[in-house]
Amino acid sequence: MTASKILLLIIDGVGDRPCDCLGGKTPLQAAHIPNLDELAKTGICGIMDPVAPGIRAGSDTSHLSLLGYPPQQYYTGRGPLEAAGCGIQMEPGMIGFRANYATIDDAGNVIDRRAGRIADTTEISAAIRDGVDLSKYGVTIRFEPGTGHRAALALKGSGLSAAVSSNDPKATGIPPKTIHPEGEDTPEAKFTADVCNEFCRQAAEILKNHPVNLARKAAGQNPANVVLIRGAGAMGVYEPFEERHELSGSVVAAAALIAGIGSSVGLRRVPVHPDTPLAEQVSLVLQELATRDFVLFNIKNADEYGHDGKAMEKKEFLEKIDKELRPLMEMPDLMIAVCGDHSTPCTIKEHSADPVPLIIHGDGTRTDHVSSYDEISCAAGALCRIRGGDLMPILLDLIDKTHKYGA
Ligand code: ZN
Ligand code: ZN
């Protein structure tokens, strides 16, 4: 029997380097992960350079690569992908931005870049979406809240450019910056900078005396009274996943960036909150797999422990993930690929180009002698060392979906 469905399970930032506090082992080597080890033992293993050897992939460029969209050809910046991940219907040419709420004092200086860690910005985001009027520029906006103090903005209109700077001062005690052309000095960049500055001005005006902020002030909390935008990018054109790979698909991801990459290529976006328990996320994945051919499931947090240099916590989190995988392993008719989107070694607190360990598991795959899931064991596997762009073709072949090349 050949499987007909694919689960691509990406443990964000899973790869690592030897850590002193783990006796010279990587978090994966040190972790007790019997389910992942079983997948390794009964599947075929290897290591993978998400983009190419020596390239320190970001989560965005890596996910594009793994989904079969070469980032060199498709990547246009983080903004439009975040915007799509927050639920904005991005159309080619629209300019997307990451946004976040912050607090300014009466003198106009930023005093809190996270607006008192405001938890829910639904209401004030709606006020901005409905209240900001850029019609004199011939521009319309989309604005959606993200998790916590985060949000996303998109501009639609003609003559727009993504070559603009950010108003984020990246420090407190100083006012937000004026946005200006960046990277190119064209009339379009100048026009877009003007549009952005006007958006920020009107947004601050709306936020100033908004009931949500008056209530926050009364409660001694920092108001969300300014919007900082960054990461401008023009939305690209993506061949739909279903046409490219002949598979229907969904994305289950707590990170807006990843959900946005999925929806940009045409996967159905199943939003989960970063605090959604893993077991619940797994049931959502199973639900999607019941009706779809492909699910991209990104598990956040291992990456964050890497960025924080917390090797022990990363190991423990990997153990937590392992405990929840059983229902996925028991699903019939499924080809499972487990990997990371890049390594985030606790020793350097950043992404590195170290290849990530990979398992492919499902009926009919060859098996090798690898019996544990970690960076070193998998390097001895029969998949050897592949690139991220090789993954989809290999998976499609294993579910008999590739077409013969030649006679
Ligand atoms: Zn990542
Ligand atoms: Zn990261």
Side-chain angles (χ1 to χ4, degrees), residues 307-319:
H307 282 291
D308 292 343
K310 294 182 173 163
M312 187 57 79
E313 283 86 344
K314 187 169 177 182
K315 164 193 161 293
E316 284 163 4
F317 182 69
L318 295 169
E319 291 171 342

Side-chain angles (χ1 to χ4, degrees), residues 11-254:
I11 305 173
D12 211 295
V14 72
D16 216 294
R17 291 179 183 172
C19 299
D20 285 345
C21 70
L22 299 174
K25 291 182 173 176
T26 68
L28 266 182
Q29 283 179 311
H32 177 64
I33 43 173
N35 285 322
L36 286 164
D37 288 346
E38 186 182 321
L39 284 172
K41 192 168 181 181
T42 51
I44 184 167
C45 298
I47 53 174
M48 179 169 66
D49 297 289
V51 174
I55 302 294
R56 288 188 179 209
S59 294
D60 41 16
T61 50
S62 165
H63 276 77
L64 283 172
S65 176
L66 299 180
L67 290 170
Y69 295 81
Q72 301 87 339
Q73 186 186 337
Y74 283 94
Y75 185 60
T76 58
R78 185 165 177 166
L81 301 171
E82 287 271 349
C86 289
I88 297 175
Q89 282 294 334
M90 292 296 288
E91 298 160 24
M94 279 168 73
I95 310 293
F97 298 82
R98 309 169 68 190
N100 68 267
Y101 289 93
T103 306
I104 49 171
D105 62 13
D106 292 339
N109 293 321
V110 175
I111 53 166
D112 182 350
R113 294 181 65 248
R114 290 178 175 164
R117 291 192 173 266
I118 187 167
D120 183 359
T121 68
T122 311
E123 210 181 321
I124 52 177
S125 297
I128 289 174
R129 186 168 55 234
D130 299 339
V132 169
D133 179 6
L134 300 175
S135 56
K136 69 169 174 177
Y137 298 99
V139 171
T140 55
I141 68 157
R142 311 279 188 277
F143 192 80
E144 289 293 330
T147 52
H149 64 292
R150 296 178 196 86
L153 165 71
L155 303 176
K156 185 182 176 182
S158 59
L160 292 169
S161 160
V164 290
S165 66
S166 164
N167 64 334
D168 188 346
K170 294 201 172 136
T172 53
I174 50 174
K177 293 183 167 171
T178 300
I179 294 169
H180 52 77
E182 189 175 73
E184 63 179 55
D185 206 4
T186 58
E188 289 79 12
K190 173 78 181 72
F191 170 69
T192 309
D194 290 346
V195 170
C196 290
N197 287 319
E198 179 61 13
F199 165 80
C200 294
R201 192 193 66 76
Q202 288 187 26
E205 202 57 44
I206 290 165
L207 293 170
K208 201 165 150 188
N209 293 313
H210 192 280
V212 165
N213 279 331
L214 296 179
R216 286 182 71 79
K217 276 188 182 168
Q221 295 168 318
N222 280 338
N225 57 6
V226 71
V227 177
L228 303 176
I229 61 174
R230 64 193 192 283
M235 181 62 179
V237 181
Y238 296 90
E239 182 192 357
F241 190 86
E242 195 153 356
E243 285 169 26
R244 198 171 182 90
H245 299 309
E246 296 175 38
L247 299 173
S248 61
S250 300
V251 53
V252 178

Side-chain angles (χ1 to χ4, degrees), residues 10-13 57-60 62-63 258 298 303 341-342 344 351:
I10 299 183
I11 305 173
D12 211 295
S59 294
D60 41 16
S62 165
H63 276 77
I258 309 304
N298 173 286
D303 176 56
D341 54 342
H342 48 77
T344 312
H351 300 185

